[in-house]
Structure formats: structure tokens, C-alpha cells
Amino acid sequence: MSVAELKERHAAATEKVNNLRERLKQRRQQLLDTNVVEYARSQGKNPVTFGPTDLVCCRTLQGHTGKVYSLDWTPERNRIVSASQDGRLIVWNALTSQKTHAIRLPCAWVMTCAFSPTGQSVACGGLDSMCSIFNLNSPADRDGNLPVSRTLGGHRGYVSCCQYVPDEDIHIITSSGDQTCVLWDITTGLRTSVFGGEFQSGHTADVLSVSINGSSSKLFVSGSCDATARLWDTRVASRAVRTFHGHEGDVNTVKFFPDGNTFGTGSDDGTCRLFDIRTGHQLQVYYQQHRDNEVPQVTSIAFSISGRLLFAGYKNGDCYVWDTLLARVVLNLGSLQNSHEGLISCLGLSADGSALCTGSYDTNLKIWAFGGHRMVM
């Protein structure tokens, strides 16, 4: 078969795949007879309202000298780890604002960090294509630096995100610019499973974020520059369980909803979306119209402990608090007087849902606490 014939067959196959994809999209639209907002209104749900003291900035964590890229809370809620362009991980006591550890990294180009479930170790990854593990109980070296206790190497692209498997300190999942996610055994330093890559059901561009299901730790979802999110089962690494379409730009962040049956996404297309892992359907789009047709990219999302609120950080410095049922913005943290001076690059909620932490390119982290009549929502 000649090269010309192969090209012709490839073009025909591509056209057929695109036609099938469009037919599937149309069929999904036909099956979507309602969305979250329409159902909530039919049930008479009242909108969430916020007063000036319901969510306030109670602490500013200062110590980094570069842009803050990532943060994570410990399960016991009083400690935070942050990663910055200054090439350091800092572990903070969220109650006192004190630093308990300042870890100089082997590679300054860090992109992500995570606390282990027990809070005994932290992990980070970045442009060195490695995931480095630090045991916080290890003695410092003669220069006062905490040594790397384990290096997980195997990705062929930058490590964009890492998350420990809940209730375990021995397994961690990473996502990478090599279009794959990997489940690691930290004890041995070896890859347990690889998700994507040579498999046709995998992502076709850089994977930017992962989120593990809190109700079933065998399931996790990933977001990618191919504008899709994919659901994976660690017991079946050969193919994605389901692929979720809808975004028109890079999916920068994914986060499971508290019930484990749905998850949220944030994208360069300026929208956050809610998907159902059981049906594969898109349940709701969260989008705020801006002046001059500006489309601020979503950098990070988190849900409140009940799921009623969705926190979303944007590259224009906004941080919206969405009412997930009625798709309304109830508060913009970026417009408050004591908010960040740069874009909000990362955010996360404490395990008990009582506080939100945001990280920014202004080098600071801020802790926002619920007050007034809504201590936890």
C-alpha cells in the first residue's frame, strides 16, 4: 500500500471518528432533559446569601519569595504545605501562622505538592519529571536541609500534580506532561500501574490534574490539555472507565464532589463544570459573564464539605464562591479589600470544612474562615 493510499485511509478514518463524536454529542444533548439549576428551582431551593462576616480572611501566611503554585492541607486540618517558585516547600501551622519546615528542593521548578494521609510526609513534583517524598520526621543534614527520603522517577514529562491515596502513606498518584498518570508504591519506588500513554483510551495531551474519590479510593479522575476529563479505576489500568467532554479548553483542575458520584472541573475556557461519573453526563456549567468578552481561565477549584459551595480561582485574580445548586456567584473573594494582589493559583479546603486556604502569585497564602451563623457549610 502506497503512502498516498495510507494518507487517504487515515483521512477517511479521522472524518468517520469526528462524525461519530458529533453524533454522540447530539445524542447526549437529547438525553439531558434537565440540569442542576432547573431541578433545584423546581424543588423551591433558596439561594445562598453571604454577609460581610460570613467568610473573612483571618490569616496571611508570609514566607515564600516566589509565586505560590500549589498547596495542600493535612487531614487533621491544622497544617498546610505550600510549593513555590522560590524552590521551597513550607509546612505551616494554620492556627498560629508559624512555619514548622522550610524544605529546599533539589529542583526549584516545582509545580505541585501534597500531604500524606498521616501528615508524616509530603510529596512534590515539577519540571524535573520526578516526584520527591520527604519524611518530616527525618533529621536534617548538616546544612539544615531535610533530605529526600524517596524519589519516584519514570515520567517522561513534567509532574503536574500528585495526590496520596486516602488512608495510605504508601501509594501516590501523579499526573504528567507525558500524557499519563501513574500509581506508585512509595515503599519500593516502583510504578504499580500506568494510566494512558500507549492505550487508546488515554489522554492525547498533557495531564494537568488528578483527584481521588474519597468514597472509593480505587477511582480517580484526571483533567488534561486535550479538553477532556477521564475516570480511571486503579484495578483496570488498560483503559479509562469513562471520558467526559464539554470543555473547549485545557482542563486545569479536577475535584471530586463530597458524595463521590460527581466531580467538578475548571478550564481555560472560563467555565467550571459538574459531571456525573455514573452516567457520564454534564450536570451543570458555572460561568460568569465578564466585560469586554474577557474569559478568565480557571486555575483551581474546591467544594465545601456539603457540596453546596464551589470555590474557583481565576487567572484575573477573582475567586468566586458559587452556589452549586443555582449556579450563582454569592461572593468574590478577589474583590475584598484584604484579598490577594496577584492571581489565585491554588486553593483548598480544610478537612473539617471550616477554613479555605488560597495561594497566589503575590507569594502569600491566605486563610479564610467561616464566621457568623455558618461555621461550616
Side-chain angles (χ1 to χ4, degrees), residues 2-3 7 19 32-33 39 79 102 126 128 145 151 188 192 256 283 311 348 359:
S2 66
V3 174
K7 288 183 177 180
N19 289 336
L32 284 175
D33 56 347
Y39 179 76
R79 287 188 297 160
D128 60 354
N145 297 319
T151 300
T188 63
T192 301
F256 262 104
L283 301 179
F311 305 94

Side-chain angles (χ1 to χ4, degrees), residues 16 19 66 69 78 84 93 111 162 176 204 214 217 244 293 296 318 348-349 367 372-373:
K16 184 177 181 180
N19 289 336
Y69 286 140
N78 64 345
S84 166
N93 184 318
M111 299 177 69
C162 62
S176 172
T204 58
S217 60
F244 301 84
N293 295 321
D318 288 334
L349 203 73
I367 298 177
H373 65 283

Side-chain angles (χ1 to χ4, degrees), residues 24-314:
L24 282 171
K25 182 178 179 181
Q26 294 173 0
R27 181 59 178 159
R28 286 195 191 96
Q29 291 299 320
Q30 292 173 359
L31 293 173
L32 284 175
D33 56 347
T34 188
N35 58 28
V36 171
V37 171
E38 291 175 359
Y39 179 76
R41 286 174 178 166
S42 71
Q43 298 298 305
K45 296 294 184 181
N46 295 320
V48 174
T49 57
F50 266 77
T53 61
D54 283 340
L55 188 60
V56 296
C57 179
C58 59
R59 285 180 181 81
T60 298
L61 307 182
Q62 298 178 315
H64 282 299
T65 58
K67 300 173 181 177
V68 177
Y69 286 140
S70 179
L71 67 87
D72 193 27
W73 289 82
T74 51
E76 82 272 11
R77 83 176 171 77
N78 64 345
R79 287 188 297 160
I80 299 168
V81 61
S82 58
S84 166
Q85 190 185 38
D86 61 16
R88 290 183 183 275
L89 294 182
I90 294 181
V91 179
W92 310 82
N93 184 318
L95 301 178
T96 65
S97 304
Q98 292 181 334
K99 309 174 191 68
T100 62
H101 295 81
I103 305 169
R104 185 187 302 169
L105 302 175
C107 174
W109 301 102
V110 63
M111 299 177 69
T112 182
C113 63
F115 246 121
S116 69
T118 63
Q120 300 301 308
S121 63
V122 292
C124 68
L127 295 186
D128 60 354
S129 305
M130 302 284 187
C131 181
S132 301
I133 310 294
F134 296 87
N135 187 332
L136 298 180
N137 297 320
S138 296
D141 61 22
R142 63 180 62 184
D143 296 322
N145 297 319
L146 201 65
V148 177
S149 60
R150 177 70 71 183
T151 300
L152 308 176
H155 279 299
R156 292 174 294 174
Y158 61 88
V159 174
S160 56
C161 186
C162 62
Q163 186 178 352
Y164 280 87
V165 176
D167 304 320
E168 297 183 21
D169 270 23
I170 59 172
H171 290 106
I172 192 170
I173 294 177
T174 57
S175 62
S176 172
D178 64 10
Q179 305 180 12
T180 70
C181 301
V182 173
L183 173 65
W184 302 87
D185 185 321
I186 298 175
T187 305
T188 63
L190 299 177
R191 291 179 288 185
T192 301
S193 301
V194 179
F195 307 89
E198 68 272 16
F199 300 117
Q200 293 184 352
S201 65
H203 286 292
T204 58
D206 301 14
V207 187
L208 301 178
S209 180
V210 295
S211 178
I212 301 174
N213 192 321
S215 303
S216 175
S217 60
K218 300 298 183 184
L219 298 177
F220 74 94
V221 68
S222 58
S224 167
C225 290
D226 62 12
T228 70
R230 296 177 196 245
L231 178 69
W232 304 89
D233 188 325
T234 56
R235 296 161 294 191
V236 187
S238 60
R239 58 183 175 84
V241 176
R242 199 180 292 276
T243 300
F244 301 84
H245 300 275
H247 281 294
E248 298 177 358
D250 299 357
V251 179
N252 298 319
T253 177
V254 292
K255 192 71 175 179
F256 262 104
F257 196 76
D259 69 358
N261 292 323
T262 56
F263 69 92
T265 57
S267 168
D268 277 356
D269 63 13
T271 68
C272 299
R273 297 171 190 249
L274 191 65
F275 293 94
D276 191 316
I277 66 172
R278 298 161 297 184
T279 64
H281 287 165
Q282 176 181 288
L283 301 179
Q284 190 59 52
V285 179
Y286 304 93
Y287 177 71
Q288 181 78 352
Q289 190 69 41
H290 290 76
R291 299 175 182 175
D292 304 323
N293 295 321
E294 178 191 14
V295 182
Q297 301 166 346
V298 184
T299 60
S300 185
I301 63 170
F303 289 102
S304 67
I305 197 167
S306 70
R308 184 65 193 267
L309 302 178
L310 168 65
F311 305 94
Y314 296 79

